[in-house]
Amino acid sequence: MASAAPTSRQRLLLWLGISMLGVGLAGCNPSWRQRLGLEPKPAEGPAPSVSDGPSSAPLQPGRNVIVSAVERVGPAVVRIDTLKRVSNPLGNLFGAGPSIQQQAGQGSGFITRSDGLIFTNAHVVEGADQVSVTLPDGRSYSGKVLGGDPLTDVAVVKVVAEKLPVAPLGNSDDLKPGEWAIAIGNPLGLNNTVTAGIISAVERTNAVGAGQRVPYIQTDAAVNPGNSGGPLINASGQVIGINTAIRQAPGAGLSFAIPINLAKRIAQQIISTGQASHPFIGVRLQSLTPQLAREINATSKTCKVPEVNAVLVIEVVEGSPAARGGIRPCDLIRRVNGTQVKDPSQVQLAVDRGRVGQAMPLIVERDGKKLELSVRPAELPRGE
């Protein structure tokens, strides 16, 4: 029996079946899927930009300023080991040990002369019976303490040697906050450690207590026990200070260094005479403010002062250079040796830059009038 011809409905179903089969076999046909909206059309033109910054050539490798500075100074930075004999009051009693014991200490220093002259801190070598100096290359020498100044914490050590590496000395008078500050030393017994930061401030006279004779350099370069006596250097590889003190605070720490210009002046005195010379004039001073002036004027019958910011003399030591020079209580000190002063610390530093027995001009204000006086500083008694 002959089969009947497919109806129009059958032909439509057959066509749809073939079409669906084609979709299953050729489902990756992008033009067909795009026509049905199953795939996005490819974007026309270039891809969208995620940056409009100008193109630039890659940075070329160069010398790091810190590396260069350390290479220049590092060979002259030394480790200083000390031995001090201390008395044991319980020695030979109940097995408490010998009556004399040895106490070891360690610090840093740096060579300033090729024949073995070394700067360090006075507290590093104070009371030491033996001093050993070790260079980064391993050479070791027995050192002799030429002298130390407890007021500025500067000391000078000498070793017998020749042609040693030398640390160049810079100029600490020109320092500005924000400059590089690099510390080299032996913190916590770790030899030749380098830390870096910036100069945070200069002339910190109240860094480690009031009445200091040192305008300390403040830095955020990490300094720890053992760094004492080591150099603080600038980006040019010059020593600008001697690391001497730290102040710890939760989560932070501050470091302080003796300006190298002051250290050089003290060291020259030690080399010449075996000790440092500190002038004094014999006055007690107070920072005057308008509020304090009003209180003084309201309560004192002998002292009337202007309501200004200034340096007020509150006491003159009897028989002192200041007394002989005509300075009186209630005077306002305006200038010392040509330097304008605004607080007692500046007066102290200006006096300390003078010389014992040499006339020092002062300008004071008394009863609204300016007077020019001359004072000859005397030697500050030892132990004061």
Side-chain angles (χ1 to χ4, degrees):
M1 181 176 179
S3 58
T7 65
S8 298
R9 178 180 176 83
Q10 289 173 335
R11 285 198 299 271
L12 176 61
L13 292 176
L14 179 62
W15 180 85
L16 289 175
I18 294 173
S19 298
M20 295 299 293
L21 179 62
V23 170
L25 295 176
C28 295
N29 186 336
S31 61
W32 182 88
R33 292 177 63 85
Q34 290 163 5
R35 286 198 300 270
L36 291 181
L38 298 178
E39 282 186 356
K41 294 182 179 180
E44 296 181 358
S49 174
V50 296
S51 173
D52 59 359
S55 60
S56 60
L59 295 176
Q60 299 298 317
R63 294 290 295 167
N64 183 291
V65 295
I66 296 178
V67 172
S68 299
V70 171
E71 287 179 348
R72 186 178 185 188
V73 179
V77 180
V78 301
R79 189 183 78 237
I80 298 179
D81 295 284
T82 63
L83 281 178
K84 183 190 303 184
R85 296 184 180 90
V86 295
S87 176
N88 180 8
L90 299 180
N92 299 324
L93 294 177
F94 312 109
S99 57
I100 300 296
Q101 295 180 332
Q102 288 189 332
Q103 186 178 76
Q106 190 179 89
S108 304
F110 53 97
I111 304 169
T112 63
R113 244 175 33 199
S114 60
D115 62 352
L117 196 71
I118 298 166
F119 284 11
T120 186
N121 281 152
H123 77 261
V124 169
V125 296
E126 182 181 8
D129 296 291
Q130 295 181 29
V131 175
S132 176
V133 175
T134 304
L135 274 65
D137 60 13
R139 286 180 288 175
S140 184
Y141 301 91
S142 177
K144 177 183 178 181
V145 179
L146 300 185
D149 178 37
L151 285 180
T152 58
D153 203 20
V154 173
V156 181
V157 174
K158 183 72 170 63
V159 299
V160 179
E162 294 181 352
K163 299 181 179 179
L164 296 179
V166 173
L169 304 184
N171 181 7
S172 55
D173 288 343
D174 297 332
L175 298 180
K176 303 293 183 183
E179 294 183 27
W180 280 112
I182 307 161
I184 311 178
N186 309 292
L188 307 174
L190 303 174
N191 293 348
N192 306 114
T193 296
V194 178
T195 56
I198 62 170
I199 294 173
S200 304
V202 295
E203 297 189 356
R204 291 294 202 200
T205 54
N206 58 347
V208 292
Q212 296 296 311
R213 291 174 177 257
V214 179
Y216 291 102
I217 303 167
Q218 179 184 327
T219 173
D220 64 352
V223 171
N224 292 285
N227 271 113
S228 292
L232 185 71
I233 68 177
N234 60 17
S236 299
Q238 299 170 323
V239 179
I240 55 175
I242 303 177
N243 297 311
T244 186
I246 55 178
R247 286 178 63 178
Q248 296 289 353
L254 303 176
S255 307
F256 299 94
I258 305 161
I260 195 62
N261 288 8
L262 172 60
K264 287 191 294 185
R265 177 162 57 86
I266 298 299
Q268 287 169 348
Q269 295 174 1
I270 290 174
I271 296 169
S272 300
T273 66
Q275 61 185 15
S277 175
H278 291 286
F280 93 110
I281 60 175
V283 292
R284 281 209 310 134
L285 306 174
Q286 171 70 46
S287 290
L288 182 68
T289 63
Q291 176 61 34
L292 179 59
R294 286 190 289 270
E295 295 176 3
I296 292 173
N297 294 333
T299 58
S300 174
K301 297 181 180 179
T302 59
C303 195
K304 300 298 179 181
V305 293
E307 296 180 6
V308 296
N309 292 301
V311 182
L312 175 66
V313 178
I314 59 176
E315 182 182 356
V316 178
V317 177
E318 185 178 355
S320 67
R324 292 192 295 269
I327 298 178
R328 300 178 187 175
C330 303
D331 284 350
L332 304 183
I333 299 181
R334 294 298 193 179
R335 286 184 175 273
V336 178
N337 213 14
T339 300
Q340 184 177 0
V341 292
K342 298 180 180 180
D343 59 57
S345 295
Q346 292 180 346
V347 175
Q348 179 72 78
L349 294 176
V351 170
D352 205 52
R353 294 188 188 103
R355 292 187 178 182
V356 173
Q358 182 173 314
M360 178 181 293
L362 280 81
I363 295 179
V364 303
E365 183 179 333
R366 181 185 302 162
D367 297 328
K369 299 179 181 180
K370 289 187 177 180
L371 304 175
E372 295 186 7
L373 305 177
S374 180
V375 176
R376 293 184 181 274
E379 180 70 37
L380 180 70
R382 302 296 167 183
E384 296 190 14

